[in-house]
Amino acid sequence: MRDQCLGRRQFLQTSAAVAGGAVLGCPRSLSAGPSEPTVIDEPFHGAVLNRRHGEPTDDGLKIRVRGRAPLRDRVTVNGRPARRAGGRFAAEILLGEKETDIVALSEGVSGRREHRVRVVWDRHSQPRYRFSIDDNSFFLRDVARKKYASLFDCFYLKMLKTLHEKYKARFVLNIYYTTGDGFELPQFPDRYRNEWQKNADWLKLAFHAHANEPARPYQYAAPQRLIADLDKVAEQIHRFAGEETYSPPTVIHWGMVQPAALKPLAERGVRVLSGYFRRAAVGWDVNYLLDDARSEYLSRHDALKDFDSGIVFSRVDVVCNSTPLNRIVPTLAPLAEDPNQAEIMDLFTHEQYFWPFYPNYLPDHAKRLDAALRWVTDRGYKPVFFHEGLLGGRE
Ligand SMILES: [Zn+2]
């Protein structure tokens, strides 16, 4: 149909007919410009923006909006005319609220088109880090069996306390209900409750999974099963360590849940979920089954908000057990140079690699944590918990 139209137009022009009249015979929607979409390319829907992403002013954060729209159209962004250059448009807007809708509207002969995104402003942003340790269960079994006088007679908790005293580091330990060999949380005594509470300003416990096996337990599980497991562990943490020690989960085992689980998790107090958002053979993995576009974005940004559930996703910046000691700093350093990844350091490892009986035991595991903590501390990053405020920062 398009070819036919052009053919007719060409014919009319070559036959020296009135040029203006020739266009009338061809529907305008078929010319190149108006068939293009109107799209905001930047910022990304769900982006968490801070002072590194724009210009802080007395009234808010001034940021640039960029996108594409039909060549002939007039474009406004939040009601004000945008600059055009070819098929592109650009405008500046001011973020003055926690969340801002950005609306690009293009109008032309073929009608109106609109694209709408929402962004989060991290108004009180400051460089911060969190340290999260997954797959915890052996230390609980150890304390329960050895009946230590103090929690910190367990070498693992002692090691964390030393790092806390040295760097003011805070840790959240994501725990299992059972080690899978007969030990379950109800066997953990409540006689350390006072000690847990005294240390709750830097040491928290959170649900991670029922057990280490099977892998990816919640990837295809009904949300009700995940929530039932969460509730069981939460009840035990409250019993033996007190409310002060409890943190809602910030990492679910294997970083995979059904999309329908996000709202129920948010109802249990989940505010942030960390994952790897890494490229896999097909699509992305350890990404809470987010769509490709958001997973790809998260693979190179600190954070992204899912407005449906209210949960903010965070990309893990270093996994200490899989990063050799001499690679810890070279892994973190480039992130501090990237405005999209510099503000929040999501530090991470797994408990099992601390234990000599574990087949993949790492004798230098504690040194790796020390290297990561020294690096963030020297650069002014403050220790936070992700379940508080906005990614641990003031809201
Ligand atoms: Zn895990």
Side-chain angles (χ1 to χ4, degrees):
M1 191 170 157
R2 184 175 181 147
D3 287 346
Q4 278 177 352
C5 180
L6 288 173
R8 182 164 172 245
R9 182 177 173 184
Q10 259 174 352
F11 168 77
L12 288 171
Q13 282 174 337
T14 50
S15 65
V18 183
V23 182
L24 292 175
C26 176
R28 286 172 187 224
S29 62
L30 292 184
S31 59
S35 64
E36 300 297 315
T38 296
V39 179
I40 297 171
D41 290 319
E42 264 181 76
F44 196 83
H45 182 61
V48 178
L49 304 175
N50 61 53
R51 60 201 162 80
R52 299 176 196 260
H53 295 109
E55 185 192 327
T57 72
D58 290 345
D59 302 317
L61 184 69
K62 196 156 108 182
I63 62 157
R64 175 163 292 187
V65 179
R66 289 191 181 90
R68 291 161 285 139
L71 198 59
R72 293 177 178 181
D73 284 11
R74 293 178 303 280
V75 178
T76 59
V77 173
N78 286 7
R80 298 176 63 178
R83 295 186 300 282
R84 299 298 314 262
R88 290 168 289 142
F89 68 84
E92 272 79 39
I93 64 156
L94 195 68
L95 306 182
E97 306 292 331
K98 270 187 204 169
E99 292 181 1
T100 302
D101 286 330
I102 304 171
V103 185
L105 181 68
S106 70
E107 290 178 282
V109 287
S110 60
R112 288 156 61 99
R113 293 153 210 247
E114 185 184 289
H115 188 212
R116 185 179 282 265
V117 301
R118 184 182 296 173
V119 297
V120 178
W121 179 29
D122 186 3
R123 177 199 298 246
H124 305 290
S125 175
Q126 60 168 339
R128 54 199 188 270
Y129 76 90
R130 73 82 156 253
F131 210 113
S132 169
I133 307 183
D134 265 18
D135 299 2
N136 283 275
S137 65
F138 296 134
F139 85 90
L140 292 161
R141 185 183 67 184
D142 183 61
V143 172
R145 283 186 181 167
K146 304 268 176 58
K147 300 183 169 57
Y148 298 121
S150 159
L151 288 173
F152 302 104
D153 291 338
C154 166
F155 88 93
Y156 173 68
L157 293 176
K158 172 78 187 158
M159 179 266 310
L160 297 179
K161 193 164 195 280
T162 304
L163 291 169
H164 164 67
E165 283 160 0
K166 196 166 168 188
Y167 299 113
K168 297 190 168 67
R170 297 176 178 186
F171 296 95
V172 57
L173 311 182
N174 310 316
I175 70 174
Y176 295 140
Y177 186 79
T178 175
T179 48
D181 60 356
F183 173 77
E184 297 188 346
L185 292 183
Q187 296 162 30
F188 193 89
D190 60 6
R191 66 190 180 92
Y192 302 101
R193 211 180 145 101
N194 283 345
E195 203 170 22
W196 283 115
Q197 288 170 328
K198 257 173 52 191
N199 292 279
D201 59 328
W202 67 271
L203 184 62
K204 305 263 188 221
L205 301 175
F207 163 79
H208 189 51
H210 175 74
N212 192 54
E213 304 293 339
R216 301 176 181 263
Y218 306 111
Q219 185 159 338
Y220 301 110
Q224 298 90 310
R225 222 196 83 215
L226 166 61
I227 297 300
D229 286 355
L230 188 166
D231 285 348
K232 257 173 43 177
V233 171
E235 183 191 349
Q236 291 299 319
I237 296 171
H238 281 89
R239 175 188 63 80
F240 70 72
E243 193 185 336
E244 299 89 333
T245 305
Y246 180 74
S247 160
T250 56
V251 191
I252 302 295
H253 197 29
W254 282 92
M256 288 298 227
V257 300
Q258 282 289 299
L262 295 180
K263 273 185 191 169
L265 284 170
E267 284 161 14
R268 288 296 191 277
V270 172
R271 307 198 64 182
V272 174
L273 288 173
S274 291
Y276 296 167
F277 304 95
R278 68 182 177 204
R279 215 174 259 276
V282 178
W284 275 262
D285 196 17
V286 194
N287 66 338
Y288 295 90
L289 295 174
L290 290 193
D291 55 82
D292 286 358
R294 292 193 291 173
S295 299
E296 193 280 332
Y297 178 88
L298 270 160
S299 72
R300 54 193 173 83
H301 289 82
D302 276 332
L304 180 77
K305 182 161 183 173
D306 173 62
F307 295 106
D308 285 344
S309 63
I311 290 175
V312 177
F313 290 92
S314 168
R315 193 187 80 98
V316 167
D317 289 307
V318 66
V319 184
C320 291
N321 62 267
S322 54
T323 308
L325 180 55
N326 65 3
R327 294 299 308 161
I328 296 281
V329 170
T331 299
L332 293 173
L335 304 177
E337 306 303 318
D338 175 357
N340 293 320
Q341 302 190 79
E343 197 76 341
I344 299 161
M345 292 296 164
D346 192 335
L347 312 181
F348 184 73
T349 201
H350 295 83
E351 187 214 22
Q352 53 268 50
Y353 298 87
F354 287 105
W355 293 89
F357 61 74
Y358 184 65
N360 298 315
Y361 169 60
L362 294 170
D364 68 355
H365 200 182
K367 284 191 185 142
R368 300 184 189 195
L369 273 64
D370 189 285
L373 289 166
R374 189 182 332 123
W375 187 87
V376 288
T377 306
D378 286 351
R379 274 146 199 83
Y381 288 86
K382 298 281 180 272
V384 297
F385 289 121
F386 265 179
H387 68 284
E388 295 176 342
L390 173 59
L391 290 150
R394 212 178 114 206
E395 277 193 288

